[in-house]
């Protein structure tokens, strides 16, 4: 595996645009440089409806060269983790029915028919940590240790009240089908920094509790939508082949595969000589890249060579293939090798009932490993230019869904406020941003809409969000959509 | 827009720009609004000065002549035709003042000098506007007569192409060599490679119309219908799951088969359109026309717990309109959901008027996660259709007779009800496999057996203890080891259920119905008691299925209870295993409802005991007494409603013991029901007469299938509310169903419903449908449409490369009676299509995307074509038309990593046998996790309409065609096939290449392939184990008559040829 200097692809793409097909044609097949270029050109340009390569007026020097997005599917409760509301302790079981009416907020079909809306204070203890004095609950002891490395945003808000549309909004910028995911936008805009790995890699981390309420996700959350298909996220899988179909069939040794590919190359070359279609060369190069991936991916996926210290940092769970901890470790290995965007999906955060039991096990899955990841990046000097984002798709209600007891309750979906954290990559560390009202219901200070989060992530990655567009169906499609979005300047380092 | 810029600034600037920049291209002789001006406006101006009133600046609208040239409240017109100097439009685009300049700085748009010059000339020439080209009905253009066409053109297509080539200074390419041309046509027309026999016949046919006849032969095949259907299924976003949230299976494949059949019959495209959009509304709609209306049910739907109905109604309506617009009209109407379209004259009102057509159906918004979300239709297989009709009539007649008897039986009933002391056990119906009444007062137990699975003889103990039952004495189970029959396996797509009456004393524990062994490692299932509660255990013995659930409430000691154990994977419901107690759900298999493995127990089916560990004594019931009665084993599944009505027998028993005078109306009703079902001789006679009919009906039902169809709300006029900013929560004015204002209106005096819409789509005056359809067809055959933006014929869409050719094809298509096959034939028999695809460097530079058509099409095959090619060339292909979705090989975990626990498409289980080798269009399509090998090769996810597939070239694709077990197996089968045919290297190689490339290899190529074979052979002879491993890939066994090392080596050669660019490309 040959890590390439960051940003190497952009000059190449510009070069590609500059050279004519003719020059390209004439110089093809003369060496690896051109061959690699061919591979990068990828698909035949389909100019119609606008699919031309992006010109880059939107690009500037980035703070973050790569990003890891930890997606907690199901929506973790802000009230249990970061949004401390001590005053609610005395209001246990207060019926919020009338108060809710005044809020004018729609309720989901799950609680809209509930007769009472008993206020459920969190049963978990909070304490202040670090120099910043950020409040973090006892459910996240490891996160608490690193509050000075991260920026907690307690004032996120979204438009969607159910999982499907909310996940689509936060990971594709739109509640409608057919849009491009955040990772594919970054792949499209920034390209890869490693010729042997995709620019956008997706990891599916298993949750451990059998009780957790698991929400569905779908490939549209990492799909390329209207962007060219090569920008879709590639799943690195904990079972079977780490990348689909990566391994040769049993009984085909590596040297034989090499010779088969040599023959393939020789045959394709003849075909190219008679037909002249540059796509033939591109194809040969894809086979070569596939061959290299066959070597580089297993090396990447092999965590056994990590020293014991790594496992101390991420926790022993990191030895379990497919666990969140091993995914976090894998994310580090991926960004280390130049992958632009890694997204970890961890499901099971939808606690409509038995919230105390289930959120505890979910937190246990991720807490130490998140700490480990941040410290690991820091130790390697990579945190400064690696952006890490942690969060779900919306928040949860202050009132209990279903029966409320001293020890047990559930919370319904709540779009008006939720908490996330960000770290590294140009984010101001040790900060708590935004504030909600006494009920953790409405934002009273510094709201951050999902589109603002997108604008901020793009900004940190060196992209001006309002100029970064792709023409599709006659429109300049943007990750941040049509409603104006703001970069959250206050959280920038 | 204000006019403060000093007048003298203008001329100065105009001069300076002209002088400084210079024109990079000569201006066209005559400026055309559509060709030259509209694209500039669309790109730079319409966002603020276009059709969308909500974002319009300065009240200026530039897309319509009247608006652009009239005064706007206190402002002069933006354009003064004939006078650029006096036109503020020109003034502003020339301005250097940042405040004044148009387009404004913040838009990041800038006009080029050429564009400015064009605008100036256009205004000078009178600023003549034209209607957007695609909104004008096509008129058949005269076929051009150009010298280039002489001797080359084969049909009018070529004349249009030649005319364009001539003005471009290019010449058509030579005709493609015959074999390659046949292969190209075969893939385009059938999706499959030509067979060696077809190649040979074509090569031997020296007649001038040999190619035309080959085309006709291919067009008449079923494979051709499958190929055309596949394109259509992308457009209508056909899939086999609901798509949103739980993403359960949905039964709509009969619609897919309808599409295939429509192409088989070459159904005229107008009829094809009408039946899909509104087949249900046609007068006296046939079964097939109703199935066709399933088009309206292909949309992704949800049943997410918290989902808000109004929100999804809006989402669905938008999706329906977007699909209809993209497929037939080539318009991107979706933009108008939130605001008037920015570029096309589609207002927000137009959009919602279109949604109204789809908002008048009886389809529930929440799909209920059911495979059969209503409205649905049961469709018997073709051979049963006539019989089904007869049978329905006969069954209906039987029902009437029963009803008549029930009326006349009142006296007999009253007499019985007044005197009866006990209930009579109701007779069994056709779905009962085994019946043990368990009501004998002494001696042996009688068992009725029927159907396919005949149990072994019932072992009858002599010392049964009996107690009082509902239908006479009931045996006590404790201590008994009753073997009812052989093991009952629970496997996919079957149903095996049980019902029984049960009474306990105290809180017994132990097996009730068991196919389980004491040894935990064996697969099995069991209904058991634990401390007086019902429990369910299921295990596959390997840890993939391990269920042990116990009901939360116990049985009431001393009372009779009704228990149903339902196992049903035939109807694909969310809970395939469920236990009902007294008509209520008591235990189920838990969230992991859909079992990743079959349960094939070794232990026979026992009542009241469990297979003993070897040598031991059978485990039986302890901790309390257990009596049973009326045990029935069915070949069907039950839902809660069934269980509830079955459990009524308990209340009937109570009713019987109530004095006649004190019985409630409900109790009398229950007793009457019992009387008619179990006691009354005339009723029983009638029921017995109907029994074979019902049994036959069940068999036909098993063979047939349910499909989702469309149905209009009765007595309701379609309407919708305009939604402000597209928000479902902000309904505005009510609008009635209507077509967009810029297109011809619906005819007067007809109901404004989907049928009217469907007919309007294919009305001769509709300017879009024919053009859009011929264009999409052209794209499928030539690689790109004449209008490259296949789904967008609006202002922002691409201009047609050959506008007259497009119109000629559109008119020809329509006037041919919408003959799709004829359209395809015309295109593929043109000289244009037949050109060689070879490219010279000069041509590549001149026309990299082949817009001018100076060469033939050459593109990578679609995902389905690649897989089908592997199947066909190897002989694995199972050519069977239609049917349930197939589940071929798929890597483990692809479904599991996205699915919810409850989903019926959580566990992917490969089929066995022929379904592994069906054509790819039959592969089960789960929307949230599309078949991965196809997705990697650019198949769309079928969540939104796709009228143009992306075509990328990635390393992941190379991995698929090299390593997907299907391709490995196909390579092996192809190798075995050619090895059996000949023992000579060259002959074998020819047999491989003919099947994949349609040609034989040249000598230097043979040398390369020989090297691959020799290398591989050396390896496999040295390490025969490797050869054996390779030959094991795939479900079909390797041909053992062939030496393993040689077969493995040829497998690698076949795979190498299969992976050639030439194999992967048409």
């Amino acid at each position: 595996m040959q890590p390439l200097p960051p940003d190497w692809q952009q000059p190449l793409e510009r070069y590609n645009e500059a050279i004519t097909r003719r020059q390209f044609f004439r110089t093809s097949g003369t060496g690896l440089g051109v061959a690699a270029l061919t591979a990068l050109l990828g698909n035949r340009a389909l100019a119609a409806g606008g699919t031309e390569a992006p010109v880059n007026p939107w690009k500037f020097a980035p703070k973050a060269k790569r990003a890891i997005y930890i997606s907690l599917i199901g929506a973790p409760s802000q009230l249990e983790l970061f949004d401390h509301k001590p005053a609610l302790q005395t209001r246990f079981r207060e019926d919020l029915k009338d108060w809710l009416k005044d809020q004018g907020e729609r309720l989901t079909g799950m609680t809209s028919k509930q007769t009472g809306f008993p206020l459920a204070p969190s049963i978990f203890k909070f304490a202040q940590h670090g120099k910043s004095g950020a409040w973090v609950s006892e459910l996240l002891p490891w996160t608490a240790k690193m509050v000075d490395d991260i920026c907690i945003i307690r004032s996120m808000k979204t438009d969607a009240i159910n999982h499907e549309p909310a996940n689509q909004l936060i990971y594709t910028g739109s509640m409608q089908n057919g849009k491009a995911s955040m990772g594919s936008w970054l792949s499209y805009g920034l390209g890869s920094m490693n010729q042997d790995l995709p620019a956008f890699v997706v990891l599916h981390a298993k949750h451990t509790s059998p009780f957790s309420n698991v929400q569905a996700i779908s490939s549209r959350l990492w799909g390329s939508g209207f962007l060219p298909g090569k920008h879709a996220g590639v799943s690195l899988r904990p079972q079977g082949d780490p990348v689909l179909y990566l391994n040769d069939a049993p009984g085909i040794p590596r040297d034989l595969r090499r010779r088969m590919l040599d023959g393939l190359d020789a045959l394709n070359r003849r075909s190219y000589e008679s037909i002249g279609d540059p796509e033939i060369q591109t194809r040969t190069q894809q086979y070569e890249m596939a061959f290299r991936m066959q070597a580089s991916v297993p090396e990447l996926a092999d965590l056994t060579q990590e020293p014991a210290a790594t496992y101390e940092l991420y926790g022993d769970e990191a030895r379990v293939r497919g666990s969140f901890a091993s995914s976090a470790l894998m994310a580090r290995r991926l960004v280390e090798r130049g992958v632009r965007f890694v997204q970890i999906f961890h499901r099971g955060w939808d606690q409509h009932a038995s919230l105390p039991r289930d959120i505890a096990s979910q937190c246990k899955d991720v807490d130490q490993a998140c700490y480990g990841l941040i410290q690991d990046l820091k130790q390697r000097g990579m945190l400064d230019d690696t952006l890490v984002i942690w969060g779900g798709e919306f928040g949860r209600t202050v009132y209990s869904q279903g029966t409320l007891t001293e020890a047990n309750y559930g919370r319904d979906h709540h779009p008006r406020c939720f908490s996330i954290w960000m770290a590294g990559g140009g984010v101001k560390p040790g900060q708590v941003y935004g504030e909600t009202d006494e009920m953790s219901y409405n934002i009273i200070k510094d709201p951050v809409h999902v589109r603002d989060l997108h604008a901020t992530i793009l900004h940190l990655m060196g992209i001006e969000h309002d100029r970064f567009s792709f023409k599709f169906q006659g429109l300049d499609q943007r990750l941040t959509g049509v409603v104006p979005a703001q970069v959250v300047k206050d959280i920038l380092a | 827009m204000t006019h403060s810029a000093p007048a003298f600034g203008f001329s100065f600037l105009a001069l300076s720009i002209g002088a400084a920049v210079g024109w990079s291209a000569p201006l066209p002789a005559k400026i055309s609004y559509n060709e030259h001006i509209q694209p500039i406006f669309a790109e730079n101006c319409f966002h603020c000065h276009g059709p969308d009133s909500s974002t319009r600046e300065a009240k200026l609208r530039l897309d319509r002549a009247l608006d652009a040239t009239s005064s706007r409240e206190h402002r002069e017109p933006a354009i003064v035709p004939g006078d650029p100097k006096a036109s503020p439009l020109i003034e502003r685009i020339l301005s250097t003042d940042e405040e004044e300049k148009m387009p404004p700085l913040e838009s990041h748009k800038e006009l080029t000098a050429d564009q400015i010059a064009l605008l100036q000339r256009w205004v000078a020439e009178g600023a003549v506007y034209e209607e957007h080209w695609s909104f004008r009905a096509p008129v058949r253009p005269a076929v051009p007569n150009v010298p280039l066409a002489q001797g080359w053109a084969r049909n009018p297509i070529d004349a249009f192409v030649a005319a364009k080539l001539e003005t471009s200074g290019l010449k058509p390419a030579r005709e493609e060599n015959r074999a390659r041309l046949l292969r190209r046509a075969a893939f385009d027309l059938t999706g499959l490679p030509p067979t060696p026999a077809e190649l040979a016949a074509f090569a031997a046919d020296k007649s001038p119309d040999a190619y035309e006849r080959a085309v006709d032969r291919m067009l008449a095949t079923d494979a051709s219908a499958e190929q055309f259907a596949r394109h259509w299924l992308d457009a209508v976003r056909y899939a086999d799951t609901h798509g949103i949230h739980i993403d359960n299976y949905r039964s709509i494949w009969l619609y897919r088969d309808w599409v295939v059949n429509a192409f088989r019959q070459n159904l005229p495209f107008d009829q094809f359109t009408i039946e899909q959009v509104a087949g249900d509304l046609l007068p006296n709609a046939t079964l097939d026309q109703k199935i066709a209306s399933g088009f309206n049910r292909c949309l992704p739907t949800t049943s997410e717990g918290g989902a808000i109905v109004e929100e999804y109604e809006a989402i669905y309506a938008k999706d329906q309109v977007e699909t209809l617009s993209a497929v037939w009209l080539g318009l991107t109407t979706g933009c108008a959901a939130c605001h008037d379209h920015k570029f096309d004259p589609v207002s927000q009102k137009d959009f919602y008027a279109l949604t109204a057509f789809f908002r008048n159906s009886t389809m529930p918004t929440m799909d209920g996660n059911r495979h059969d979300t209503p409205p649905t239709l049961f469709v018997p297989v073709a051979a049963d259709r006539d019989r089904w009709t007869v049978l329905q009539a006969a069954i209906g007649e039987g029902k009437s007779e029963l009803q008549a008897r029930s009326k006349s039986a009142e006296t007999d009933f009253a007499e019985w009800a007044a005197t009866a002391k006990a209930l009579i056990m109701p007779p069994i119906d056709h779905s009962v496999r085994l019946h043990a009444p368990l009501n004998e007062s002494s001696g042996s137990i009688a068992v009725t057996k029927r159907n396919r699975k005949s149990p072994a003889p019932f072992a009858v103990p002599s010392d049964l203890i009996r107690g009082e039952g509902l239908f006479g004495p009931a045996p006590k189970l404790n201590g008994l080891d009753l073997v009812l029959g052989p093991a009952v396996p629970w496997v996919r797509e079957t149903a095996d259920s049980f019902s029984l009456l049960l009474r306990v004393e105290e809180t017994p524990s132990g097996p009730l119905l068991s196919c389980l062994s004491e040894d935990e490692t064996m697969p099995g299932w069991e209904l058991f008691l634990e401390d007086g509660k019902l429990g369910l255990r299921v295990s596959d013995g390997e840890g993939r299925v391990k269920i042990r659930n116990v009901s939360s409430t116990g049985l009431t000691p001393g009372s009779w209870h009704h228990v149903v154990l339902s196992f049903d994977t035939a109807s694909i419901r969310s809970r395939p295993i469920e236990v009902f107690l007294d008509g209520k759900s008591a235990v189920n298999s838990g969230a992991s409802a859909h079992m990743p493995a079959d349960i094939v127990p070794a232990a026979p089916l026992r009542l009241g005991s469990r297979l003993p560990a070897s040598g031991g004594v059978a485990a039986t019931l302890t901790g309390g007494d257990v009596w049973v009665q009326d045990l029935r084993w069915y070949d069907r599944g039950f839902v809660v409603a069934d269980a509830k009505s079955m459990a009524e027998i308990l209340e009937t028993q109570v009713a019987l013991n109530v004095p006649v005078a004190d019985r409630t109306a409900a109790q009398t009703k229950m007793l009457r029901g019992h009387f008619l079902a179990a006691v009354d001789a005339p009723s029983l006679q009638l029921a017995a007469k109907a029994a074979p009919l019902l049994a036959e009906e069940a068999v036909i039902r098993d063979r047939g299938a349910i499909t989702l169809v469309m149905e209009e709300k009765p007595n309701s006029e379609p309407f919708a509310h305009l939604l402000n900013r597209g928000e479902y929560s902000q309904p505005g004015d009510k609008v009635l169903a209507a077509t967009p204002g810029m297109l011809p209106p619906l005819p007067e005096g007809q109901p404004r419903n989907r049928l009217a819409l469907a007919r309007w789509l294919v009305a001769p005056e509709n300017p879009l449908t024919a053009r859009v359809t011929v264009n999409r067809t052209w794209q499928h055959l030539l690689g790109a449409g004449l209008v490259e933006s296949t789904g967008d014929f609006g202002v922002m869409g691409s201009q047609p490369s050959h506008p007259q050719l497009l119109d000629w094809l559109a008119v020809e298509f329509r006037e041919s009676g919408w003959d799709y096959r004829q359209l395809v034939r015309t295109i593929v028999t043109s000289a244009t299509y037949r050109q060689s695809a070879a490219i010279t460097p000069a041509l590549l530079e001149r026309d990299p995307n082949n817009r001018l058509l100076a060469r033939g099409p050459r593109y990578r095959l679609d995902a389905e074509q690649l897989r089908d090619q592997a199947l066909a060339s190897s002989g694995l292909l199972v050519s069977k038309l239609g049917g349930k979705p197939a589940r071929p090989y798929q890597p483990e975990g692809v479904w599991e990593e996205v699915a919810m626990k409850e989903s019926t498409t959580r566990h992917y289980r490969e089929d066995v046998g022929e379904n592994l080798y069906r054509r790819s269009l039959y592969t089960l399509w789960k929307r949230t996790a599309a078949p991965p090998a196809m997705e990697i090769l650019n198949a769309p996810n079928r969540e939104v309409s796709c009228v143009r597939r992306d075509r990328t070239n990635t390393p992941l694709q190379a991995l698929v065609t090299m390593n997907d077990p299907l391709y490995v197996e196909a390579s092996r089968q192809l190798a075995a096939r050619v090895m059996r045919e000949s023992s000579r290297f060259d002959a074998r190689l020819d047999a491989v290449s003919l099947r994949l490339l349609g040609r034989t290899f040249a000598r230097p190529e043979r040398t390369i392939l020989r090297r691959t074979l020799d290398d591989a052979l050396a390896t496999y002879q040295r390490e025969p184990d490797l050869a054996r491993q390779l030959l094991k890939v795939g479900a079909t066994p390797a041909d053992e008559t062939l030496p393993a090392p040689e077969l493995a080596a040829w497998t690698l050669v076949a795979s190498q040829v299969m992976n050639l660019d030439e194999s992967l490309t048409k």
Side-chain angles (χ1 to χ4, degrees), chain A residues 22 25 48 106 109 162-164 176 210 215 220 229 237 245 251 259-260 268 275 283 286-287 347 471, chain B residues 43 243 245 304 306 318 728 788 839 841 845 892 898-899 901 943 950 955 963 1015 1020 1056 1059 1061:
Chain A
R22 178 180 197 161
F25 182 86
R106 62 209 165 124
N162 282 301
H163 300 289
E164 280 278 350
Q176 291 168 18
Q215 284 301 326
R220 71 177 84 96
R237 317 168 71 242
Y245 310 108
R259 275 173 285 162
M260 179 268 200
N268 280 345
I275 295 166
R283 176 129 19 249
Q286 301 309 314
Y287 276 79
R347 300 195 285 160
K471 195 147 278 174
Chain B
E43 176 63 31
H245 202 239
E304 184 174 348
K318 177 164 184 267
Y728 72 90
E788 260 191 301
I839 315 171
E845 185 188 0
E892 268 188 55
V898 301
K901 286 177 186 167
E943 293 192 322
D950 196 14
N963 299 334
D1015 284 347
Y1020 292 126
Q1056 190 177 37
N1059 277 282
D1061 177 79

Side-chain angles (χ1 to χ4, degrees), chain A residues 20-22 25-26 39 42-49 51 106-110 159-165 175-178 198 204 207 209-220 222 224 227-230 234-235 237-239 243-253 255-257 259-264 266-268 270-271 274-280 282-283 286-287 289-291 293-294 347 413 464 466-467 471 473-476 482, chain B residues 43 108-109 180 243-246 300 304-308 311-312 318 322 332 335 342-343 728 788-789 792 796 798 837-841 844-845 848-849 855 858-860 890-894 896-902 927-930 932-933 935-936 938 941 943-944 948-965 968 1001-1002 1004-1005 1008-1009 1012 1015-1016 1019-1020 1022 1026 1029-1030 1033 1052 1055-1056 1059-1062 1064-1065:
Chain A
T20 64
R21 278 264 173 179
R22 178 180 197 161
F25 182 86
R26 283 182 177 160
N43 60 320
R44 200 186 289 253
L46 284 166
T51 42
R106 62 209 165 124
L107 305 175
T108 74
M110 286 168 292
D159 299 332
I161 195 166
N162 282 301
H163 300 289
E164 280 278 350
M175 289 193 260
Q176 291 168 18
N177 287 345
H204 296 284
H207 62 281
S209 166
F211 303 114
S212 294
N213 190 24
V214 180
Q215 284 301 326
I217 50 176
S218 81
S219 52
R220 71 177 84 96
W222 57 93
S224 59
L227 292 175
K230 65 177 174 177
V234 173
S235 290
R237 317 168 71 242
Q239 63 185 112
V243 165
L244 285 172
Y245 310 108
L246 182 76
N247 289 323
D248 286 326
I252 301 184
D255 61 331
L256 196 53
R257 172 62 79 207
R259 275 173 285 162
M260 179 268 200
L261 287 175
D262 289 341
L264 194 71
L267 291 163
N268 280 345
R270 287 184 50 85
S271 195
S274 68
I275 295 166
D277 184 350
E279 198 73 356
I280 300 171
T282 312
R283 176 129 19 249
Q286 301 309 314
Y287 276 79
M289 201 187 286
F291 183 74
M293 276 176 70
Q294 289 185 318
R347 300 195 285 160
H413 309 164
E464 234 178 276
D466 55 348
R467 305 181 81 170
K471 195 147 278 174
Q473 292 194 334
L475 290 175
D476 291 327
V482 286
Chain B
E43 176 63 31
H108 309 305
K109 310 253 188 210
R180 209 169 249 167
I244 307 177
H245 202 239
I246 292 184
E304 184 174 348
I308 297 165
E311 181 172 20
Y312 274 95
K318 177 164 184 267
E322 281 187 322
T332 58
C335 312
K342 292 269 177 232
F343 308 105
Y728 72 90
E788 260 191 301
S789 56
D792 189 0
M796 289 303 276
S798 328
I839 315 171
T840 61
L844 186 67
E845 185 188 0
N849 293 322
R855 60 180 187 268
R858 187 179 193 283
Y859 292 97
R860 197 205 68 221
Q890 176 168 305
E892 268 188 55
V894 171
E896 286 84 349
E897 69 193 14
V898 301
M900 292 177 68
K901 286 177 186 167
E902 299 87 341
R927 279 200 164 98
T928 57
E935 200 174 30
I936 290 169
N938 301 123
N941 60 14
E943 293 192 322
V944 290
R948 189 178 71 182
R949 284 193 184 190
D950 196 14
R951 202 179 276 117
T952 58
N953 197 341
T954 70
L956 302 183
Q957 295 170 352
L959 293 172
V960 170
T961 49
M962 285 196 293
N963 299 334
D964 181 337
V968 177
F1001 282 117
E1005 292 174 313
I1008 297 166
L1009 288 151
T1012 304
D1015 284 347
T1019 301
Y1020 292 126
R1022 201 171 53 241
L1026 286 179
Q1029 285 174 37
L1030 179 59
V1033 175
L1052 200 75
S1055 167
Q1056 190 177 37
N1059 277 282
L1060 285 178
D1061 177 79
E1062 192 179 340
L1064 304 172
T1065 304

Side-chain angles (χ1 to χ4, degrees), chain B residues 51-181:
Chain B
D52 183 2
S53 56
S54 67
T55 53
R56 195 173 300 144
E57 299 282 342
K59 299 204 167 66
L60 172 60
R61 182 168 180 179
L62 285 173
D63 65 312
R64 293 200 301 210
L66 191 65
D67 298 278
T69 57
S70 313
S71 302
R72 299 153 285 145
E73 298 171 28
H74 317 300
R75 288 173 187 179
E76 50 197 316
I79 296 173
V80 181
D83 194 350
K85 287 182 190 170
S87 298
L89 172 89
I90 302 297
E91 184 188 335
R92 295 292 292 268
I93 61 178
L94 290 170
S95 174
T96 47
D97 181 344
E98 284 195 3
E99 295 287 308
E100 285 290 308
K101 190 172 155 37
M102 283 288 155
L105 212 56
E106 63 271 20
S107 71
H108 309 305
K109 310 253 188 210
E110 208 161 349
L111 296 179
T112 65
D114 285 3
Q115 291 173 325
I116 293 173
L118 278 169
L119 288 168
Q120 285 175 317
R121 264 276 301 282
W122 175 67
V123 174
E125 285 176 7
V128 181
Y129 275 82
E130 293 166 309
E131 191 181 0
H132 181 60
W133 69 269
S134 73
F135 301 156
R136 281 187 307 215
V139 178
R140 184 189 286 270
V143 177
N145 187 7
V146 292
L148 198 57
Q150 304 295 326
W152 177 68
R154 289 177 180 273
N155 68 29
I157 290 174
D158 305 319
F160 291 104
V161 170
K164 180 98 179 184
L165 286 175
E166 204 160 79
T167 58
S168 313
L170 291 174
K171 288 196 163 51
R174 63 171 171 77
E175 186 160 311
E176 188 59 274
N177 81 51
R178 281 168 72 89
R180 209 169 249 167
L181 178 61

